[in-house]
Amino acid sequence: QVQLVESGGGLVQAGESLRLSCAASGSIGSIDAMAWYRQSPGKQRDLVAVIYSGGSPNYSDSVKGRFTISRDNAKNTVYLQMNSLKPEDTAVYYCNMRLRTSYLYRYDDYWGQGTQVTVSS
């Protein structure tokens, strides 16, 4: 059984910062990609940032230069540092990990429960 637990969401004003964390626990064999998605009411869930096991990050154009994704492989944790937040960043943020459990030889996608980020103008 694998569980992803997120933390760090909240209510901030435009221009402020937040840091999200997502830790995976359970029978983890190895983790390939770690990513953050976000979803606003009535909209689809979109990729915000992804970082691969080799360490190369990719960002959506809307957050490039403001958000930074990082990972701590020893802790099975991914972070999202969000600076210069804008009202349009308001959404539920979900972490996603493509990982292999210690008892299956295939990679599957796992999701966190989501954390609300609200940016007021």
Side-chain angles (χ1 to χ4, degrees):
Q1 196 80 341
V2 172
Q3 188 176 18
L4 274 58
V5 178
E6 303 163 4
S7 61
L11 170 64
V12 297
Q13 292 188 332
E16 294 184 340
S17 299
L18 276 176
R19 190 192 194 207
L20 305 182
S21 300
C22 175
S25 62
S27 303
I28 297 170
S30 64
I31 303 175
D32 181 17
M34 297 183 177
W36 289 95
Y37 287 73
R38 66 186 182 187
Q39 187 170 22
S40 302
K43 296 187 177 181
Q44 66 181 18
R45 190 174 297 186
D46 291 326
L47 178 66
V48 175
V50 59
I51 185 167
Y52 298 94
S53 58
S56 301
N58 284 296
Y59 300 93
S60 68
D61 288 342
S62 62
V63 307
K64 203 171 293 184
R66 299 187 298 122
F67 290 11
T68 302
I69 189 171
S70 60
R71 60 191 284 171
D72 185 332
N73 292 325
K75 296 181 179 180
N76 293 328
T77 298
V78 61
Y79 305 96
L80 186 68
Q81 178 66 43
M82 304 184 293
N83 298 330
S84 302
L85 282 160
K86 304 176 181 180
E88 50 264 43
D89 294 318
T90 295
V92 177
Y93 284 71
Y94 297 90
C95 73
N96 166 271
M97 295 189 188
R98 175 162 286 264
L99 62 85
R100 178 179 63 79
T101 63
S102 60
Y103 49 86
L104 287 175
Y105 290 92
R106 71 165 191 256
Y107 283 85
D108 291 309
D109 283 317
Y110 290 82
W111 293 88
Q113 79 283 2
T115 185
Q116 177 70 46
V117 172
T118 303
V119 184
S120 63
S121 58

